[in-house]
Amino acid sequence: MALEITDNNYKEVLATEGKPVVIDFWATWCGPCRMVGPVIEELATEYADKAVIGKCDVDDSSDLPAEFGIRNIPTVLFFKNGELVDKQVGSAPKSVYVEKLNKIL
């Protein structure tokens, strides 16, 4: 299951040593987000030992999306060593997320 990432815990999550971090920015009312959500959950299970996969509800947390300039959802950000290294704006097939994640492992 994907980790719930909020304004209160994201700095700790991004400081995770040795594992890349993937954050899906979404909202319950967003149709494309509902398409990406199951893919993120699958990745969280498949990469449980290799990466931290989480979701940030933009309606519940506003500081984190603002810090990274999230203007469209879904947006998935990819971090390595706490640094933003890639992103996917809009929904995409699972293969796109897998490829981006594998590049930073």
Side-chain angles (χ1 to χ4, degrees):
M1 185 171 178
L3 178 67
E4 182 180 351
I5 299 177
T6 67
D7 288 341
N8 297 326
N9 71 354
Y10 78 92
K11 289 183 180 175
E12 295 167 31
V13 173
L14 289 179
T16 302
E17 296 232 0
K19 289 185 179 181
V21 176
V22 178
I23 303 175
D24 171 27
F25 292 87
W26 70 289
T28 55
W29 49 263
C30 167
C33 297
R34 288 194 295 271
M35 294 167 45
V36 172
V39 171
I40 297 300
E41 292 296 339
E42 288 175 22
L43 293 176
T45 300
E46 293 169 14
Y47 288 83
D49 297 334
K50 300 177 191 167
V52 176
I53 313 284
K55 298 172 63 90
C56 176
D57 185 332
V58 297
D59 288 334
D60 293 339
S61 295
S62 59
D63 294 346
L64 175 57
E67 183 169 327
F68 290 102
I70 303 300
R71 288 182 170 73
N72 300 306
I73 55 172
T75 293
V76 179
L77 300 184
F78 297 80
F79 298 86
K80 185 169 186 172
N81 300 321
E83 299 293 319
L84 179 63
V85 294
D86 205 349
K87 70 179 170 181
Q88 173 63 43
V89 179
S91 62
K94 181 178 178 181
S95 59
V96 171
Y97 302 102
V98 168
E99 180 181 330
K100 289 177 180 288
L101 185 51
N102 284 338
K103 273 193 338 191
I104 61 174
L105 283 175

